[in-house]
Amino acid sequence: MSSREPIFLEPVFQEKIWGGDRLRTSFGYDIPSGHTGECWAISGHPGGDCRIKGRPGQTLGGLWREERALFGGLAGEGFPLLVKLLDAREDLSIQVHPDDSYARLHENGASGKTECWYILDCDPDATIIIGHHARSPRELREMVEGKRWGELLREVPVRPGDFFQIDPGCVHSIRGGTLLLETQQSSDVTYRFYDYDRLSEGRPRPLHIEESLAVTQSPFRPRELRPQTRREGDALVTELVRCPCYTVYRAVLDGRWQRDWDAPFVNISVLDGRGALDGTPVERGDHLLLPAGYGTMTLEGRLELICSHL
C-alpha cells in the first residue's frame, strides 16, 4: 500500500442493551439490529478490527503488524486509537476507566482508557453524567454503598456540538437519546459502578465496585477545555483537545482545504456532507486514515469532519 493512498475502513457494529437504530437512520449503515449501540469506525482492537476497503481479508490491526512503516514506524502492540459512533437509546451504566498504570497491573497489560465525546445529536433537555459530588474517597464509598446516586452524580446538560474530555478516573455515563462520536485510547477496559439493576440475557451485568472505587478521582476536578479555532483556506478548524493520548479537531469546510498533517497517521470521520479527498469521493459516514508520509491532503466540497492523531 502506498503512503499516498488513503485507507478507507469498514465499520464494525456492536449490539448493546442500551443501543438503538440511529446508526442506520442517521448514517445509512447496515446495522445488525435495532439494539446497535456502537459503530467501531476506526479500530485495530481485537474486539472489533475494521476491514480495509478494497483489500479483501486485510484489517487495520493486520496492517499495523505487517506494514508498520505506514504508521511512521511507531512502537506498540496495537493501533493506539479507536474512533466510535455511539447511539444511546437508553442510559449507559455509571462507569469509570483506569489509567495506563492501573490497567497494565490489573488487566493483563492492557492500556487504560482516556476518551472524549463530540455530541452529534441529542434529545431536547438531554444530560450526561461527568464527575461526582463526593468530597473524599471515604464519602465516595459511603454514597456508592448507600446507592445515593441522585446525590452523588454530577449531571451536565448537553446539546449538539458540545465536546467533553473524559480522563481516567472520571465517573461518567451517556444518557439515553444521545448520538456522539468518541475518540479514545484503543482499550475496552470499563468498570461499572451501577447499571440500574437491568438484566442482560436474564442476568444482571457484572459490577466492579472495588475496582471503580480504586481508580475514581475524588474529589472530582472538572477538566477545563479551551478550544482554538482558525481558518485554513475555506475551512474553519477547531482544535478541541490536545492531551498525551491524542489531539482532536473539528473541521467545517465549504470549498477547499489543504493541510500537511506531519503525523504518523491521521484519522478522519465524515460527519456530514460530501466532497473529494485528492480526487477520491468522500461522504457522510465515511471513515478513513491517512498514513505517514501522505504529504499535503486536499479536501474539496461541503463537509463536517472530526480528525485525530497522536
Side-chain angles (χ1 to χ4, degrees), residues 8-12 29 38-43 48 50-51 60 82-85 181 269 285-288:
F8 284 80
L9 299 161
E10 297 180 6
V12 176
Y29 296 134
E38 298 185 352
C39 162
W40 290 29
I42 302 176
S43 170
C50 293
R51 294 179 180 177
L60 181 55
L82 201 169
V83 177
K84 298 178 181 177
L85 298 173
L181 182 142
S269 293
D286 283 345
H287 304 273
L288 60 135

Side-chain angles (χ1 to χ4, degrees), residues 57-76:
Q58 180 72 73
T59 66
L60 181 55
L63 196 67
W64 173 267
R65 291 188 297 271
E66 297 159 15
E67 299 186 45
R68 191 66 63 91
L70 292 172
F71 307 95
L74 287 171

Side-chain angles (χ1 to χ4, degrees), residues 28-288:
Y29 296 134
D30 183 15
I31 60 175
S33 77
H35 287 278
T36 303
E38 298 185 352
C39 162
W40 290 29
I42 302 176
S43 170
H45 192 279
D49 195 359
C50 293
R51 294 179 180 177
I52 296 172
K53 292 183 179 179
R55 297 190 75 175
Q58 180 72 73
T59 66
L60 181 55
L63 196 67
W64 173 267
R65 291 188 297 271
E66 297 159 15
E67 299 186 45
R68 191 66 63 91
L70 292 172
F71 307 95
L74 287 171
E77 291 188 9
F79 183 73
L81 298 182
L82 201 169
V83 177
K84 298 178 181 177
L85 298 173
L86 280 79
D87 170 23
R89 183 165 63 186
E90 300 177 13
D91 296 351
L92 274 70
S93 61
I94 307 301
Q95 58 188 244
V96 66
H97 305 302
D99 62 14
D100 285 343
S101 60
Y102 188 94
R104 286 171 183 151
L105 183 62
H106 297 278
E107 298 293 339
N108 299 316
S111 296
K113 190 172 176 183
T114 301
E115 65 186 61
C116 59
W117 302 340
Y118 180 77
I119 307 299
L120 299 172
D121 197 11
C122 58
D123 290 346
D125 303 319
T127 63
I128 57 175
I129 300 298
I130 295 184
H132 62 84
H133 297 296
R135 293 166 293 185
S136 67
R138 179 178 177 178
E139 185 174 51
L140 174 65
R141 177 179 287 276
E142 290 173 351
M143 295 174 83
V144 167
E145 291 179 347
K147 298 186 177 182
R148 293 152 56 189
W149 303 113
E151 183 182 350
L152 172 65
L153 299 174
R154 180 175 178 266
E155 197 167 358
V156 179
V158 293
R159 60 185 180 182
D162 284 348
F163 180 81
F164 302 91
Q165 171 80 352
I166 312 295
D167 292 315
C170 174
V171 176
H172 61 276
S173 174
I174 302 168
R175 289 293 182 87
T178 306
L179 180 69
L180 61 81
L181 182 142
E182 177 177 287
T183 304
Q184 58 159 94
Q185 287 179 273
S186 185
S187 171
D188 206 25
V189 180
T190 296
Y191 298 145
R192 295 191 194 101
F193 265 124
Y194 180 55
D195 195 39
Y196 315 99
D197 301 317
R198 288 184 293 202
L199 300 180
S200 176
E201 298 179 352
R203 292 177 293 182
R205 294 198 295 173
L207 300 179
H208 316 92
I209 301 300
E210 291 304 321
E211 295 92 335
S212 298
L213 289 169
V215 303
T216 296
Q217 178 195 81
S218 185
F220 172 69
R221 295 182 295 276
R223 175 72 176 265
E224 290 189 18
L225 298 176
R226 295 182 174 85
Q228 302 291 320
T229 300
R230 65 187 182 192
R231 178 166 287 281
E232 298 182 11
D234 297 321
L236 285 176
V237 182
T238 302
E239 182 181 293
L240 297 168
V241 67
R242 181 184 294 265
C243 73
C245 297
Y246 46 68
T247 301
V248 180
Y249 309 81
R250 173 180 181 254
V252 180
L253 167 65
D254 188 357
R256 192 166 187 259
W257 178 34
Q258 290 187 305
R259 177 183 264 221
D260 185 345
W261 290 93
D262 190 27
F265 65 87
V266 179
N267 301 318
I268 299 177
S269 293
V270 184
L271 303 183
D272 205 3
R274 62 179 57 223
L277 170 68
D278 293 309
T280 301
V282 294
E283 64 181 1
R284 177 181 176 88
D286 283 345
H287 304 273
L288 60 135

